[in-house]
Amino acid sequence: VIDIRKENSQGHPQGSLIQRASIRFKTTLMNTLMDVLRHRPGWVEVKDEGEWDFYWCDVSWLRENFDHTYMDEHVRISHFRNHYELTRKNYMVKNLKRFRKQLEREAGKLEAAKCDFFPKTFEMPCEYHLFVEEFRKNPGITWIMKPVARSQGKGIFLFRRLKDIMDWRKGTAGKKLTSLEAPPARNTVNPSGSHDSRSSDDQKDEIPVENYVAQRYIENPYLIGGRKFDLRVYVLVMSYIPLRAWLYRDGFARFSNTRFTLSSIDDQYVHLTNVAVQKTSPDYHPKKGCKWMLQRFRQYLASKHGPEAVEALFSDMDNIFVRSLQSVQKVIISDKHCFELYGYDILIDQNLKPWLLEVNASPSLTASSQEDYELKTCLLEDTLHVVDMEARLTGREKRVGGFDLMWNDGPVSREEGTPDLSGMGNFVTNTHLGCINDRSNQLRQLFRSLQSQKKASS
């Protein structure tokens, strides 16, 4: 295997200068990802600890092995070393608060206010006294407690009385905690027949002490059919320095099975939209599931509120993706071997304001329905196209399949050419979340065009 790639002016490998017989991949995730990797032309699976070119690893492997593993120039791995700065609930909030203060100092209050997209949050137990102060200012409102490093709704509970927190602090809140925990994940089967015992939505790093965040609960969620939901959106980061991020067009809304009410704060089926929780509901229909594709959600909102309100909402979501990434840009170790596919969880309230709930470093790649399987298969195929182990891209692409380049060391415009950002006049961000995803046609045209360019240059 000979690798003689050179880089163009954007630091992207030039496809015409590579000679590699095959790409050796490794992964421990037996789900949609394995199906996609095994079907990719020219990719060969490596099962032992032998040499690999591409490793979709879990975060525990990363923590134990990254520092002791030599990687050639072309090698790619699926996480940044300290990804938890964005994907651990307490770190995410700490970084966003710090970034907001920095913006206020450097650009003023108006700019800083663009970071007001996460609910008031306190880390427990270290900010317990600050939390109590805030709690007493607004008696009677609902708060939600979440463990910082668990997923699938495990360990979450809602409360309105300080006594519940006192019980938690003394370690006697076990009964309440257990009642709201999702049962252990069972092996699930993809439509393709492959199994996945890791159906967790995020393999969080283990931490010795169970830290929590206490977060103000959003009491006025936007409801569809009387039910609460949140959105899962996919963002692919190829580099933090400079920041280069892609937004996927598809995603889904995850619904609760039970109609929303604040009169029953102990009912997990009302308040937690995690699929791992909802599929244990007595009313759950496996074939029907509890998801809407984002296109359907966007059309529904447009019919209710008009296209302008929907544009404003989706633009506010773009702001969340960019600001959250900027908040960790200086603390994430930006290694050229690393990329990350994040799963963002967004809640919409009745005023059509989006709220960032959390960011997952290992969004679930297990399918809960045929539609879900197709979405995740296309998402992963397009992720591999952008990561570009085959070195076919030029580095100037603004769209690859279902991914649109959202940020490239600055906002990316839908229009061709370099936009004038001085007054942000007619600038429209290159994002198409929830829009038509004609990825197959786009990929055909893209690779045909790249092949023609290659022939012309040779």
Side-chain angles (χ1 to χ4, degrees):
V1 177
I2 306 166
D3 184 358
I4 51 169
R5 287 198 284 187
K6 292 181 181 174
E7 291 188 341
N8 62 22
S9 59
Q10 298 192 14
H12 198 92
Q14 290 176 317
S16 58
L17 295 172
I18 183 169
Q19 297 171 352
R20 189 178 298 120
S22 61
I23 291 157
R24 299 157 300 178
F25 76 85
K26 186 177 176 185
T27 186
T28 52
L29 304 177
M30 298 297 293
N31 53 27
T32 317
L33 174 68
M34 183 61 90
D35 296 346
V36 168
L37 290 170
R38 282 179 174 163
H39 286 106
R40 198 162 178 86
W43 286 48
V44 180
E45 186 176 359
V46 177
K47 290 190 177 175
D48 56 18
E49 282 302 313
E51 287 190 4
W52 37 266
D53 306 304
F54 179 94
Y55 189 8
W56 197 295
C57 66
D58 59 39
V59 293
S60 57
W61 183 92
L62 191 84
R63 187 176 60 245
E64 290 160 22
N65 299 285
F66 191 96
D67 291 337
H68 318 294
T69 305
Y70 170 76
M71 296 184 200
D72 283 330
E73 182 78 19
H74 71 280
V75 166
R76 293 292 177 267
I77 193 163
S78 64
H79 295 289
F80 288 94
R81 283 173 62 189
N82 57 339
H83 63 87
Y84 48 78
E85 292 286 352
L86 182 61
T87 58
R88 192 76 73 65
K89 297 175 188 80
N90 53 337
Y91 291 170
M92 178 188 87
V93 170
K94 176 196 73 175
N95 285 314
L96 280 167
K97 284 178 178 175
R98 179 182 44 73
F99 184 59
R100 193 192 187 289
K101 280 180 188 164
Q102 180 194 325
L103 280 178
E104 194 167 332
R105 276 196 316 272
E106 294 172 4
K109 288 190 173 177
L110 209 60
E111 196 63 21
K114 291 178 183 173
C115 286
D116 293 340
F117 49 70
F118 58 99
K120 200 169 274 288
T121 305
F122 298 90
E123 186 174 352
M124 308 291 264
C126 65
E127 294 184 325
Y128 175 74
H129 295 294
L130 287 172
F131 162 73
V132 170
E133 206 177 297
E134 182 65 30
F135 183 91
R136 288 184 171 142
K137 279 186 205 166
N138 299 282
I141 68 165
T142 311
W143 291 80
I144 185 166
M145 282 281 278
K146 304 176 185 178
V148 301
R150 285 206 257 172
S151 58
Q152 295 187 309
K154 293 187 180 114
I156 293 176
F157 63 95
L158 276 64
F159 66 96
R160 292 195 185 115
R161 302 174 308 165
L162 267 183
K163 180 184 179 301
D164 295 328
I165 290 289
M166 297 305 288
D167 290 347
W168 171 80
R169 281 188 94 200
K170 292 173 193 161
T172 56
K175 281 186 181 174
K176 187 159 195 170
L177 263 170
T178 311
S179 70
L180 275 176
E181 283 205 4
R186 295 190 296 272
N187 277 14
T188 49
V189 184
N190 279 333
S192 67
S194 60
H195 288 262
D196 180 19
S197 55
R198 300 169 175 269
S199 64
S200 82
D201 214 25
D202 203 353
Q203 310 139 7
K204 305 280 189 184
D205 286 358
E206 292 301 316
I207 50 171
V209 179
E210 181 88 335
N211 284 15
Y212 269 65
V213 290
Q215 200 167 64
R216 187 163 175 168
Y217 186 67
I218 294 169
E219 297 183 317
N220 64 332
Y222 191 95
L223 305 178
I224 296 179
R227 288 167 174 78
K228 182 182 170 181
F229 64 91
D230 68 0
L231 305 180
R232 166 55 58 87
V233 180
Y234 298 100
V235 173
L236 175 63
V237 175
M238 293 303 297
S239 158
Y240 271 98
I241 300 172
L243 182 58
R244 187 174 170 85
W246 299 74
L247 178 64
Y248 203 61
R249 294 185 173 205
D250 291 334
F252 47 84
R254 302 179 295 189
F255 286 84
S256 64
N257 268 287
T258 310
R259 291 176 75 84
F260 182 77
T261 173
L262 280 170
S263 60
S264 171
I265 63 170
D266 289 346
D267 189 338
Q268 59 180 344
Y269 300 126
V270 170
H271 301 286
L272 304 184
T273 56
N274 312 65
V275 175
V277 171
Q278 290 300 327
K279 69 182 180 185
T280 66
S281 162
D283 307 325
Y284 183 72
H285 300 289
K287 282 189 180 172
K288 207 166 92 176
C290 49
K291 292 180 180 177
W292 270 16
M293 291 299 116
L294 269 183
Q295 283 84 348
R296 184 180 174 189
F297 170 69
R298 188 168 183 144
Q299 286 163 3
Y300 174 87
L301 283 187
S303 69
K304 288 272 183 187
H305 305 280
E308 282 182 16
V310 173
E311 278 297 327
L313 165 63
F314 277 73
S315 173
D316 287 345
M317 284 199 274
D318 293 344
N319 173 65
I320 290 178
F321 308 135
V322 170
R323 301 282 174 175
S324 59
L325 295 173
Q326 286 177 327
S327 76
V328 295
Q329 192 179 1
K330 289 179 180 172
V331 291
I332 294 262
I333 301 163
S334 186
D335 190 297
K336 66 185 173 187
H337 298 103
C338 305
F339 69 92
E340 192 108 37
L341 179 65
Y342 292 110
Y344 273 74
D345 292 346
I346 308 279
L347 183 80
I348 315 290
D349 71 17
Q350 285 169 4
N351 304 315
L352 293 187
K353 174 180 168 68
W355 296 88
L356 175 60
L357 300 181
E358 67 174 301
V359 184
N360 294 284
S362 303
S364 171
L365 299 175
T366 302
S368 57
S369 68
Q370 184 60 40
E371 191 177 38
D372 197 29
Y373 182 75
E374 285 163 15
L375 183 154
K376 285 171 180 171
T377 300
C378 295
L379 166 74
L380 289 166
E381 284 175 0
D382 292 346
T383 299
L384 298 181
H385 290 321
V386 175
V387 173
D388 192 27
M389 294 299 295
E390 296 89 349
R392 293 178 291 188
L393 305 181
T394 64
R396 295 186 295 276
E397 291 80 9
K398 288 181 12 177
R399 184 182 175 194
V400 176
F403 275 110
D404 296 291
L405 185 60
M406 168 174 60
W407 195 269
N408 188 18
D409 204 20
V412 180
S413 167
R414 281 189 200 178
E415 302 305 317
E416 290 306 316
T418 309
D420 173 21
L421 295 178
S422 54
M424 294 294 278
N426 297 321
F427 184 85
V428 181
T429 315
N430 184 42
T431 54
H432 302 265
L433 185 60
C435 296
I436 291 170
N437 186 6
D438 53 339
R439 57 178 292 277
S440 301
N441 289 339
Q442 196 275 339
L443 288 169
R444 252 195 312 275
Q445 288 169 11
L446 173 65
F447 289 123
R448 201 178 291 141
S449 154
L450 289 168
Q451 229 168 2
S452 306
Q453 287 174 36
K454 191 175 173 181
K455 279 178 187 168
S457 64
S458 59

